[in-house]
Amino acid sequence: MRKTTRALTAALAAGTLLVAGCGRGGPGGGADAKVSNDKIVLAVLNDQSGVYADLSGKNSIEAVRMAVADFQAKYGDKAVSSDIEVVSADHQNKPDIANSKAQELYDRQQADAILDVPTSSAALAVANVAKAKKKLYFNIGAATTELTGKQCNRYTFHYAYDTYMLANGTGSAVTKQGGENWYIVYPDYAFGQDMEKSFSAAIGAAGGTVVAKDPTPFPNDNFSTFLLKAPGLKPKPDVLGTMQAGGDLVNLVKQYNEFKLREQGIKLSVGLMFITDIHSLGPDAFAGTTFTDAWYWNFDDRNRQWADRFTAKTQTRPSFAHAANYSAATQYLEAVQRAGTDAADAVVGELEGYTYDDMFARNATVRAKDHRVVHDVYLAEVKPKSQVTTEWDYEKILRTIPAAEAFRPESAGGCTL
C-alpha cells in the first residue's frame, strides 16, 4: 500500500512537472526541467557568531558543501539537477531573527530546504515557517522534542538528537552508576526547559531523585550563584547535572572546577556535550564525565575517513552537528533524486519510512508518523589527557545504544502530521 501510494505521488508529481516544463518551453529541458527555478538550493541557518558557532556555525556550511560535491560526483550528468547551490544566514540564536531569515531564505533565495538551526526556540520558529511555506526543514542543532511532538508538522524532520535521547542515555546511566541525588541547572528557554523535564523523568525512572533544579539566564557567563549553592543543599547532591551547551557549558565547567565541587563529592554530568566543548577546556576539565553522543569522529574507519576530509577543509575535527548536516543534506538530495523532483510533498513521500545506513546515521529510519530520524547513538566517557593518544581523541565509547531504544517512542509524543 505504501509503495503504491508513493508511486502514485511520484506519478502525479511527474505529470505536474511535465506540464510545468512544457509551460516554460524552449531549451533547458532534460533533468533540470524537473526542479523549481532550474536549481536546488540548500540553506544553512545557524549561529555563526555566538555560543554555538564552534559546534556548528560556518563549518556546518562546509559540511553541506561536501555533501553536494559528493552527490554531484556520484551522479554526474544523471543528477536530478546540475545546479545545486548552498546559501546561509546567521540567526544569532534569536527566534524572531530565525523567523525572518527563514522567510527570506525560502522566498527570496529560493531555498528548497533549510538545515541545522540550533537553539530550540529558534528551531520551533523555523518549523512554523516551513509549515506555512510548505518547504522542507531538517533540524540538526536543536534538541526540543516538541519538533516531533505537539508542534510537529509535515515538512519538518528532526535529524540528529533530542532531549529524550540525551536523558535516556546519560540520566539513566549516571543514576544507575550511583549518582542518585541530582541538582539540575538549565538555561531558561525552550531547550533547557525540555532538558530539565526529560532528565528529571529519566532520573526518576532509574530510581534517582532531583534534589533541586534552577533555571539560569541564557546566554550566561557567571554561574557562581548556582555552583556555590550546590554543597549546601539537603540532601547534598551526588551529581551536578548541567543542561547548558556550547560556550555556556564551557563557562560553567570552568567555574565548577574553580570551585572544586568534584573534590567536595559532587560529580559533573553534562546533558549535551560536543567535542568542541572538550577541546575548548582540554579533556582533564571533563575527565570521567559520562554523556550521550550522537556521533564520534574516531569511532571507526568510516567516520575517520570522512573526518579527515572535513579536517582538510576546516583545520578542525567535526562535531556530531557537522556530520549530521552532511548526512541530512545527502539524504535530502538522494530523496530528490529518487523522486525526480524537488517538489516538497514528493520528497516528503520519499523520506517517510525510508531506512538507510550512512556515515552519521547508523541503522537509521525516518519515522513516518512524527518525522523523527532514529539511529544508533553512543554512551561515552571523556578520557583524561594521559589517555589521549591522538589529537582530538577525547572519547571512550562505553556502548552503542541501538536506534530502536535511543529515542522516544513515536506514540508518546502526541504528534499529528
Side-chain angles (χ1 to χ4, degrees):
M1 181 65 184
R2 170 174 170 68
K3 289 182 179 179
T4 302
T5 302
R6 181 177 294 181
L8 178 60
T9 301
L12 290 170
T16 302
L17 287 163
L18 179 60
V19 172
C22 292
R24 283 200 300 271
D32 281 0
K34 299 178 181 177
V35 300
S36 57
N37 304 302
D38 294 328
K39 64 180 178 181
I40 296 171
V41 180
L42 297 177
V44 180
L45 178 58
N46 62 15
D47 173 13
Q48 298 174 20
S49 56
V51 295
Y52 300 149
D54 287 345
L55 64 88
S56 185
K58 294 180 179 178
N59 284 338
S60 283
I61 303 169
E62 187 58 45
V64 172
R65 289 185 179 130
M66 288 174 65
V68 171
D70 288 350
F71 177 81
Q72 291 173 323
K74 177 180 178 181
Y75 288 102
D77 59 8
K78 294 182 179 178
V80 68
S81 176
S82 60
D83 190 356
I84 304 176
E85 183 179 352
V86 179
V87 299
S88 66
D90 184 351
H91 70 13
Q92 302 174 42
N93 297 314
K94 298 176 180 177
D96 57 333
I97 294 178
N99 182 303
S100 62
K101 290 293 183 183
Q103 295 194 48
E104 179 182 325
L105 289 167
Y106 285 136
D107 292 342
R108 298 178 60 184
Q109 300 201 52
Q110 301 172 341
D112 294 293
I114 290 177
L115 299 103
D116 207 2
V117 197
T119 307
S120 291
S121 51
L124 291 169
V126 174
N128 286 330
V129 178
K131 179 182 179 181
K133 302 290 184 185
K134 297 184 177 180
K135 293 282 191 175
L136 272 291
Y137 166 38
F138 296 83
N139 182 273
I140 310 298
T144 179
T145 50
E146 282 295 297
L147 289 168
T148 53
K150 293 182 179 178
Q151 296 192 50
C152 69
N153 70 71
R154 174 173 172 76
Y155 301 97
T156 295
F157 294 82
H158 202 182
Y159 204 84
Y161 75 112
D162 60 31
T163 62
Y164 179 96
M165 168 272 234
L166 297 170
N168 184 46
T170 307
S172 297
V174 173
T175 302
K176 291 175 181 176
Q177 290 169 0
E180 297 182 352
N181 294 318
W182 288 62
Y183 173 37
I184 294 177
V185 291
Y186 60 96
D188 194 14
Y189 74 102
F191 160 69
Q193 293 156 5
D194 205 19
M195 286 285 277
E196 181 274 312
K197 291 178 183 175
S198 295
F199 266 76
S200 293
I203 292 164
T209 301
V210 177
V211 174
K213 51 191 176 185
D214 281 315
T216 68
F218 171 77
N220 188 33
D221 59 6
N222 185 351
F223 295 93
S224 60
T225 298
F226 311 100
L227 297 174
L228 290 170
K229 175 181 177 179
L233 291 170
K234 303 293 182 184
K236 180 181 170 183
D238 307 305
V239 180
L240 172 70
T242 169
M243 304 297 127
Q244 280 70 22
D248 278 13
L249 173 65
V250 169
N251 287 328
L252 187 145
V253 173
K254 189 183 299 180
Q255 293 159 29
Y256 165 87
N257 288 323
E258 289 172 353
F259 289 124
K260 299 186 182 303
L261 292 189
R262 191 188 308 275
E263 288 79 353
Q264 297 178 55
I266 302 175
K267 296 180 179 178
L268 178 68
S269 180
V270 176
L272 172 59
M273 181 103 80
F274 290 84
I275 196 166
T276 46
D277 302 326
I278 305 172
H279 189 72
S280 293
L281 290 181
D284 280 346
F286 297 91
T289 300
T290 301
F291 66 105
T292 305
D293 204 347
W295 179 87
Y296 179 47
W297 74 270
N298 205 19
F299 177 68
D300 61 13
D301 285 343
R302 196 173 175 188
N303 290 8
R304 279 189 291 274
Q305 289 174 10
W306 184 83
D308 287 347
R309 293 174 54 213
F310 179 88
T311 302
K313 293 180 177 295
T314 64
Q315 286 72 58
T316 188
R317 286 298 187 190
S319 70
F320 78 70
H322 298 137
N325 271 287
Y326 172 90
S327 173
T330 298
Q331 294 306 327
Y332 169 75
L333 291 172
E334 291 285 358
V336 174
Q337 184 74 19
R338 292 193 300 273
T341 172
D342 63 348
D345 287 308
V347 177
V348 168
E350 289 296 330
L351 287 167
E352 289 182 334
Y354 187 64
T355 61
Y356 60 101
D357 188 284
D358 69 11
M359 177 275 299
F360 170 81
R362 305 294 175 88
N363 301 305
T365 301
V366 183
R367 291 197 312 214
K369 290 187 176 179
D370 63 356
H371 288 186
R372 171 72 257 176
V373 178
V374 300
H375 54 87
D376 292 351
V377 302
Y378 310 93
L379 191 67
E381 181 180 283
V382 180
K383 297 178 180 178
K385 185 178 179 180
S386 60
Q387 296 180 14
V388 174
T389 57
T390 302
E391 193 175 14
W392 289 83
D393 177 30
Y394 300 139
E395 298 182 22
K396 176 183 178 182
I397 300 300
L398 302 176
R399 71 181 181 93
T400 297
I401 303 174
E405 301 174 14
F407 292 90
R408 183 175 66 184
E410 60 188 4
S411 60
C415 171
T416 303
L417 292 176

